[in-house]
């Protein structure tokens, strides 16, 4: 069936509300407005205001209320409009959602799902465009997912809802209109492993979320030049599937990591470090990274394009890496 | 029941006294143990404020939920968390009520619906809202009592939480323990409106203030407040005006207030005034008070032994309970 990423998210939300009376959705504009990205359009009419709850602009409190409701026996899905706004809820996420289980000696479970849009590319400037999922992946006690495909947009949510721990799903804002074919009977998907999206032997391109499409495109460009790139979609930033990355490196002996976050302290840095720690002697070249420029995201299109990882910068990095030296 | 009156029955009067005495003697013992290095970290004492926890707890049933602060030994003991499990928690032992993972500031006892122990000022308020929301959605009739100090009312989460609780008519009893100091900053230096209960008016929440040094008055006010919440009309804010006789924590040199001020408040010590009132009405004899002191001392000694004898969590379990089942 032909569908979009947005419709896949909506189908997952609808199914969750239909199949479990403990599930409810809350967040800014999820009800009457239909969701800032229209993911919850129609759900208020179908499920009513008790289960599709519009909240005030109070990120810290409605995320915290989601934590309390999860402790109290519900299965809340909290939508934070964008990752930039989630910083207002950082206290509840880091100090409560991630820690209460441990600090209580295992007495509490927090089956909370938080969804939010992330990423740049829509000329929304610095307060609506950043990619901070790597920050969240720093925190033990939560799980961090980055659905990059229609299957993952549809299937990660039901799996996350079955998870007894807090799960954060970062949906790249540019993916919502993405169209494609999706099996009508697609069910929940695994949320613990990376996936090889394109098999290859010359270099491992490691990425996640909004960069996957660009990386696959770059791989095709490279293929035309006789370079066969393997593309790994990390999918889950925490807990990270290191084994999948190492398996690919053992095959290709080269790695380029593509991450839309800033280079300094990025998740790409974490992946790079793990490769160095575990596969240093497999490498035929230093690990390379394609990340965003170290600048708050600018508004003009040409500057935003220059700040973000692009197909040609990815391809160029690979070509440089494969250039004969000496 | 007006301030200065006695409880209806002699038995209840003695119960209130005994509960306050348990908190006072337990914490006096923790001071000794702290200087011996048996208890480490921060230790925030409740000494002086006992009438608030003991009075308020009388208005709550075992089915109600409680969210507390980082100064929560009094609330925990008044709720029925065993003194031994609490002391072991302060020692960091595995037989502590949070398996020693939380310490003084993170007391959890889910079997008694005691949901922590929050060391980020104001951080427990949204969680209390969520517990209440879960109850409302599941048709439970219980209420959630949320303790916080005067410092918390400067936090955004206080205002967000009052707004959302009123908007959604959530069964939350907000209990402000106004001890006049946010750590070392006096109320007049951190609040433009020092009548905290009046802040509730802006959110259309009924509110009241009570003498927090009078256990009988606190109980009466808390019962009225809890009944209002139980009727299903939404939250209530009760401000208990109290004072801590000790420093903010064991590290605090207390440079921000005078000894005279502390001595003035000690004239109103509930553990002096309440027994005096009982003796004056011939409800309590010297011998009975001595017997009560003896029983409390025995309980505290047993708690210390329970903590001393408790095992340390094996280091192999370090990363247990970060995620469920791991």
């Amino acid at each position: 069936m032909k569908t979009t990423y947005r419709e896949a998210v909506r189908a997952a939300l609808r199914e969750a509300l239909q199949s479990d009376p403990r599930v409810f959705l809350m967040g800014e504009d999820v009800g009457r407005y239909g969701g800032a990205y229209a993911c919850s359009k129609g759900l208020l009419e179908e499920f009513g205001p008790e289960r599709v709850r519009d909240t005030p602009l109070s990120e810290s409190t409605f995320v915290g209320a989601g934590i309390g409701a999860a402790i109290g026996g519900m299965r809340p899905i909290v939508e934070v409009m964008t990752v930039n706004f989630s910083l207002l809820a950082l206290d509840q996420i880091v100090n409560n959602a991630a820690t209460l289980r441990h600090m209580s000696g295992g007495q509490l479970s927090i089956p909370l799902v938080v969804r939010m849009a992330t990423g740049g590319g829509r000329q929304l400037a610095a307060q609506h465009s950043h990619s901070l999922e790597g920050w969240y992946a720093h925190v033990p006690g939560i799980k961090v997912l980055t659905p990059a495909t229609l299957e993952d947009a549809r299937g990660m949510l039901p799996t996350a809802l079955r998870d007894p721990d807090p799960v954060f799903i970062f949906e790249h804002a540019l993916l919502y209109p993405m169209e494609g074919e999706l099996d009508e009977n697609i069910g929940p998907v695994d949320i613990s492993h990376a996936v090889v999206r394109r098999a290859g032997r010359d270099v491992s391109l490691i990425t996640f979320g909004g960069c996957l499409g660009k990386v696959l495109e770059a791989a095709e460009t490279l293929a035309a030049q006789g370079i066969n790139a393997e593309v790994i979609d990390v999918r889950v930033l925490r807990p990270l599937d290191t084994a999948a990355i190492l398996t690919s490196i053992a095959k290709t002996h080269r790695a380029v990591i593509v991450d839309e976050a800033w280079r300094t302290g990025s998740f790409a840095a974490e992946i790079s470090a793990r490769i160095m720690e575990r596969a240093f002697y497999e490498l035929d070249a230093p690990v390379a990274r394609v990340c965003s420029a170290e600048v708050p995201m600018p508004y003009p299109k040409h500057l935003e394009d220059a700040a973000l990882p692009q197909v040609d910068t990815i391809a160029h990095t690979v070509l440089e890496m494969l250039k004969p030296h000496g | 029941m007006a301030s200065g009156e006695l409880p209806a029955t002699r038995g209840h009067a003695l119960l209130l006294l005994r509960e306050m005495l348990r908190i006072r003697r337990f914490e006096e013992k923790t001071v000794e143990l702290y200087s011996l290095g048996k208890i480490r970290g921060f230790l925030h004492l409740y000494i002086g404020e006992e009438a608030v926890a003991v009075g308020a707890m009388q208005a709550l049933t075992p089915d109600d939920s409680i969210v507390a602060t980082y100064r929560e030994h009094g609330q925990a003991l008044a709720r029925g968390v065993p003194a031994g499990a609490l002391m072991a928690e302060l020692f960091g032992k595995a037989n502590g009520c949070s398996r020693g993972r939380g310490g003084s500031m993170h007391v959890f006892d889910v079997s008694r619906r005691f949901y922590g122990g929050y060391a980020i000022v104001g951080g427990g308020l949204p969680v209390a809202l969520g517990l209440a929301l879960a109850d409302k959605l599941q048709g439970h009739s219980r209420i959630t009592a949320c303790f916080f100090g005067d410092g918390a009312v400067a936090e955004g989460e206080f205002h967000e939480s009052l707004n959302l609780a009123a908007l959604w008519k959530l069964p939350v009893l907000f209990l402000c323990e106004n001890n006049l100091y946010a750590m070392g900053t006096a109320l007049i230096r951190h609040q433009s409106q020092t009548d905290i209960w009046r802040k509730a008016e802006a959110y259309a929440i009924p509110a009241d203030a009570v003498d927090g040094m009078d256990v009988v008055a606190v109980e009466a006010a808390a019962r009225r407040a809890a009944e209002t919440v139980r009727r299903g009309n939404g939250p209530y804010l009760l401000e208990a005006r109290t004072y801590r006789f000790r420093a903010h924590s064991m590290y605090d040199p207390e440079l921000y207030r005078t000894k005279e001020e502390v001595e003035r408040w000690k004239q109103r010590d509930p553990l002096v005034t309440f027994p005096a009132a009982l003796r004056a009405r011939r409800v309590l004899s010297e011998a009975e008070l001595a017997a009560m002191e003896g029983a409390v001392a025995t309980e505290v000694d047993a708690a210390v032994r329970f903590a001393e004898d408790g095992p340390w969590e094996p280091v192999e379990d370090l990363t247990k309970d970060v995620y469920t089942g791991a």
Side-chain angles (χ1 to χ4, degrees):
Chain A
M1 124 186 113
K2 207 168 178 64
T3 189
T4 62
Y5 186 96
R6 180 192 335 275
E7 285 160 3
V9 172
R10 190 186 302 141
L13 291 170
R14 177 182 290 119
E15 183 197 61
L17 286 159
Q18 274 169 349
S19 60
D20 187 344
R22 299 172 303 175
V23 169
F24 71 99
L25 180 63
M26 72 173 155
E28 293 150 336
D29 274 337
V30 298
R32 274 154 192 85
Y33 190 94
Y37 296 94
C39 290
S40 50
K41 203 162 180 220
L43 299 182
L44 172 69
E45 290 74 13
E46 195 173 341
F47 297 99
E50 285 285 286
R51 302 191 65 205
V52 181
R53 307 180 79 93
D54 281 318
T55 63
L57 309 183
S58 308
E59 287 83 0
S60 192
T61 283
F62 69 71
V63 171
I67 294 167
I71 293 170
M74 300 298 289
R75 291 290 180 276
I77 304 172
V78 176
E79 179 175 308
V80 179
M81 212 177 274
T82 88
V83 70
N84 292 72
F85 306 169
S86 77
L87 302 188
L88 292 153
L90 209 50
D91 166 51
Q92 289 297 330
I93 296 168
V94 177
N95 287 319
N96 284 347
T99 61
L100 290 180
R101 178 170 185 80
H102 189 77
M103 287 198 310
S104 69
Q107 292 179 77
L108 295 176
S109 268
I110 303 165
L112 166 72
V113 175
V114 178
R115 299 172 39 246
M116 63 186 98
T118 185
R122 296 181 312 137
Q123 288 195 260
L124 297 178
Q127 293 182 349
H128 282 73
S129 300
H130 290 145
S131 293
L132 306 178
E133 49 272 25
W135 285 7
Y136 287 100
H138 177 65
V139 183
I142 62 178
K143 297 183 178 176
V144 174
L145 313 182
T146 56
T149 65
L150 298 179
E151 289 80 8
D152 281 354
R154 177 68 182 82
M156 278 183 164
L157 183 76
T159 319
L161 282 165
R162 287 179 197 169
D163 198 291
D165 298 314
V167 181
F168 287 72
I169 305 178
F170 294 85
E171 298 158 5
H172 197 288
L174 281 184
L175 294 179
Y176 289 120
M178 180 173 77
E179 268 187 330
E181 283 295 323
L182 184 67
D183 181 349
E184 207 149 342
N185 301 315
I186 188 104
V189 300
D190 153 274
I191 57 166
S192 45
H193 293 94
V195 164
V196 177
R197 296 290 182 198
R198 184 188 193 283
R201 59 169 192 276
D202 297 329
V203 59
S204 299
L205 304 183
I206 301 160
T207 192
F208 51 88
C211 286
L212 177 64
K214 291 175 183 175
V215 171
L216 286 168
E217 204 181 321
E220 290 311 309
T221 309
L222 291 164
Q225 300 175 59
I227 296 163
N228 192 357
E230 178 147 297
V231 176
I232 309 288
D233 176 3
V234 174
R235 297 175 73 248
V236 184
L237 304 194
R238 180 179 273 271
L240 178 62
D241 181 5
T242 311
I245 293 167
L246 299 178
T247 302
S248 182
I249 303 295
K251 192 162 68 157
T252 66
H253 309 290
R254 290 179 185 85
V256 175
I257 306 156
V258 183
D259 176 358
E260 200 180 301
W262 296 296
R263 177 180 301 258
T264 304
S266 60
F267 198 73
E270 175 62 29
I271 296 173
S272 173
R274 289 201 193 194
I275 293 170
M276 189 276 290
E277 288 164 348
R278 306 272 301 273
F280 183 77
Y281 297 106
E282 292 281 357
L283 292 173
D284 286 346
V287 173
R289 288 185 283 159
V290 181
C291 297
S292 281
E294 305 271 323
V295 60
M297 199 58 69
Y299 162 69
K301 184 167 189 326
H302 69 292
L303 294 182
E304 186 181 44
D305 286 347
L308 290 166
Q310 301 296 354
V311 175
D312 55 350
T313 47
I314 299 163
H316 177 76
T317 304
V318 173
L319 291 171
E320 283 294 304
M321 178 179 272
L322 288 166
K323 213 189 264 178
H325 289 273
Chain B
M1 213 180 315
S3 181
E5 289 190 14
L6 289 188
T9 69
R10 178 172 182 275
H12 191 64
L14 296 182
L15 178 143
L16 295 177
L17 177 59
R18 187 168 57 245
E19 289 301 297
M20 291 198 294
L21 205 57
R22 288 176 69 229
I23 299 169
R24 177 69 57 95
R25 300 296 176 245
F26 179 95
E27 289 208 312
E28 285 169 348
K29 180 61 80 177
T30 65
V31 174
E32 281 174 41
L33 295 163
Y34 195 87
S35 56
L36 292 171
K38 298 279 186 186
I39 297 171
R40 308 300 299 267
F42 285 142
L43 186 71
H44 304 97
L45 299 175
Y46 199 63
I47 289 174
E49 305 185 25
E50 295 89 344
V52 182
V54 172
M57 216 58 80
Q58 307 310 312
L60 303 175
T61 75
D63 197 37
D64 293 331
S65 307
I66 291 152
V67 170
T69 65
Y70 57 88
R71 194 185 299 286
E72 83 280 36
H73 308 154
Q75 296 137 15
L77 286 169
R79 179 55 172 185
V81 176
L86 180 60
M87 191 65 86
E89 188 58 35
L90 303 189
F91 275 56
K93 295 289 187 76
N95 59 340
C97 56
S98 306
R99 288 193 65 76
R101 297 286 178 84
S104 168
M105 299 189 286
H106 306 294
V107 170
F108 290 83
D109 186 344
V110 171
S111 70
R112 292 178 175 81
R113 306 192 66 79
F114 194 84
Y115 288 102
Y118 293 81
I120 306 293
V121 170
L125 277 82
V127 177
L129 252 57
L131 286 163
L133 175 61
D135 287 336
K136 191 173 174 166
L137 290 171
Q138 292 169 105
H140 297 306
S141 57
R142 60 182 167 235
I143 70 171
T144 298
C146 180
F147 289 87
F148 55 96
D150 52 291
V153 307
E155 297 279 2
E157 278 174 330
F158 168 79
H159 298 276
E160 290 186 19
S161 294
L162 259 62
N163 178 53
L164 194 53
L167 193 66
W168 288 357
K169 295 197 188 321
L170 299 178
V172 182
L173 173 55
F174 291 107
L175 285 162
C176 179
E177 298 180 320
N178 176 7
N179 66 16
L180 297 177
Y181 288 91
M183 200 165 144
T185 301
L187 186 66
I188 50 163
R189 292 198 189 87
H190 73 77
Q191 289 301 304
S192 60
Q193 168 56 273
T194 53
D195 283 333
I196 289 168
W197 67 276
R198 292 186 62 186
K199 292 172 190 290
E201 195 180 311
Y203 303 100
I205 293 177
D208 197 4
V210 65
D211 178 2
M213 305 307 270
D214 181 341
V215 67
V216 179
V218 173
E219 178 180 346
R223 283 188 186 280
R224 282 195 303 272
E227 279 320 303
T228 307
V229 177
R230 282 186 214 287
R231 281 199 294 271
N233 298 320
Y236 193 102
L237 171 68
L238 180 63
E239 174 194 353
R241 289 172 176 168
T242 183
Y243 199 80
R244 61 173 155 76
F245 297 159
R246 301 282 184 141
H248 165 71
S249 79
M250 297 297 284
Y251 288 114
D252 169 11
E254 240 184 312
L255 304 171
Y256 47 84
R257 64 185 187 185
T258 62
K259 286 197 170 56
E260 292 72 31
E261 179 185 299
V262 179
E263 289 310 312
R264 219 166 37 246
W265 275 89
K266 281 187 177 172
Q267 306 299 310
R268 301 184 52 211
D269 183 347
L271 283 154
V272 173
T273 58
F274 191 55
L278 295 181
R279 277 199 303 269
R281 311 274 183 100
R282 298 186 191 285
V283 173
L284 177 76
S285 70
E286 287 299 331
E288 282 170 322
L289 182 58
M292 194 185 281
E293 286 277 14
V296 169
T298 303
E299 184 189 3
V300 172
D301 287 346
V304 175
R305 267 199 312 282
F306 183 78
E308 290 276 13
D309 295 346
W312 295 106
E313 180 103 21
V315 172
E316 303 79 69
D317 286 355
L318 173 65
T319 58
K320 204 175 152 224
D321 290 325
V322 176
Y323 296 99
T324 303

